[in-house]
C-alpha cells in the first residue's frame, strides 16, 4: 500500500494505523499547497480532492477520507483488534466515534488554519472545539481508550487532532483525563514511530 501524506496533517491517523497493524506500506509525501508529489507529479491525478490522506491499494485502487482508510487498514488484520468486527454493535460504536471526530473535531479545526479569518472568528471555533474536547474528556472517564481498554483506530485519529490543539496552544489543563489519555496514546511505540518518520521526512 501507499500512503499519500503531509507531515502534521490528518494523514498521521492512518499512518499510525498502518504501523499498529504491522502492514507494509510506502510513504509518499505530498506538498498540499502546490498539489505536487516530491518527484513533481501532479497529486490531483492521484486524488482530485487535493487533500491528504489517500491510500493506494495493492490492486491499484485509490481511496480517500481518513475515517474510511483507518477501517480498511484495521480490517486487513482483524486479530490486532484495531476495530471491532464488522456488523457488531461495537463496530457501530466505533463508527459513531469516527464520525464525531471527523465532523465535530477535525472539520471544526479547519477555520483555525485559515490566515484570512479574523481573530474573533477563530475564537468562536476555538470555543466550540473546547466544548467538544470537554465531551471527550468526560467520555474517557474510567477508560484507557475511547472504546474501553483496547486501542482502536479512533484513538489514533483523536490523537492527531490533539497534536493540532497542542501546536495552537489550546489550554487543556482543565481536562486532565483528556491530557492523560493523550500522553497514554503518545507513549505507544508505533505512535512514536509514526511521529519520528514524519519528522525525519520533514527535516530531510
Amino acid at each position: 500500500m501507499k500512503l499519500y501524506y503531509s507531515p502534521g496533517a490528518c494523514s498521521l491517523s492512518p499512518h499510525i494505523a498502518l504501523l499498529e497493524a504491522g502492514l507494509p506500506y510506502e510513504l509518499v509525501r505530498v506538498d498540499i499547497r502546490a498539489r505536487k508529489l516530491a518527484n513533481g507529479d501532479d497529486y490531483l491525478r492521484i486524488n482530485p480532492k487535493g487533500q491528504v490522506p489517500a491510500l493506494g491499494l495493492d490492486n491499484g485502487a485509490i481511496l480517500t477520507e481518513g475515517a474510511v482508510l483507518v477501517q480498511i487498514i484495521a480490517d486487513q488484520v482483524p486479530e490486532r483488534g484495531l476495530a471491532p468486527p464488522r456488523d457488531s454493535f461495537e463496530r457501530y460504536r466505533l463508527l459513531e466515534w469516527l464520525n464525531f471526530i471527523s465532523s465535530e473535531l477535525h472539520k471544526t479545526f479547519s477555520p483555525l488554519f485559515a490566515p484570512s479569518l479574523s481573530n474573533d472568528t477563530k475564537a468562536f471555533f476555538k470555543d466550540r472545539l473546547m466544548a467538544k474536547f470537554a465531551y471527550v474528556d468526560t467520555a474517557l472517564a474510567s477508560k484507557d481508550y475511547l472504546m474501553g481498554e483496547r486501542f482502536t483506530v479512533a484513538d489514533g485519529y483523536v490523537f492527531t487532532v490533539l497534536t493540532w490543539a497542542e501546536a495552537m496552544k489550546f489550554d487543556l489543563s482543565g481536562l486532565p483525563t483528556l491530557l492523560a489519555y493523550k500522553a497514554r496514546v503518545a507513549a505507544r511505540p508505533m505512535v512514536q514511530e509514526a511521529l519520528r518518520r514524519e519528522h525525519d521526512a520533514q527535516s530531510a
Side-chain angles (χ1 to χ4, degrees), residues 122-198:
K122 289 183 178 182
F124 168 79
F125 285 104
K126 191 170 182 178
D127 287 345
R128 289 195 64 179
L129 278 164
M130 287 299 296
K132 304 299 182 183
F133 283 137
Y135 167 76
V136 179
D137 181 83
T138 300
L140 284 166
S142 303
K143 293 193 294 186
D144 286 341
Y145 298 107
L146 293 174
M147 296 287 292
E149 299 308 307
R150 190 159 195 158
F151 176 92
T152 69
V153 292
D155 297 297
Y157 197 176
V158 169
F159 176 79
T160 297
V161 175
L162 286 171
T163 63
W164 304 338
E166 180 179 5
M168 293 188 173
K169 310 299 184 186
F170 275 56
D171 182 7
L172 300 178
S173 60
L175 304 174
T177 303
L178 185 64
L179 287 177
Y181 163 80
K182 179 177 181 290
R184 188 178 306 117
V185 176
R188 294 180 67 85
M190 292 301 100
V191 173
Q192 286 295 310
E193 180 64 12
L195 292 170
R196 183 192 67 77
R197 292 187 187 190
E198 296 203 3

Side-chain angles (χ1 to χ4, degrees), residues 19-42:
L19 286 166
E20 290 278 356
L23 294 171
Y25 68 96
E26 176 186 350
L27 272 181
V28 182
R29 185 171 176 177
V30 179
D31 182 333
I32 294 299
R33 291 186 179 180
R35 304 293 194 262
K36 298 286 185 182
L37 304 183
N39 64 3
D41 285 355
D42 183 2

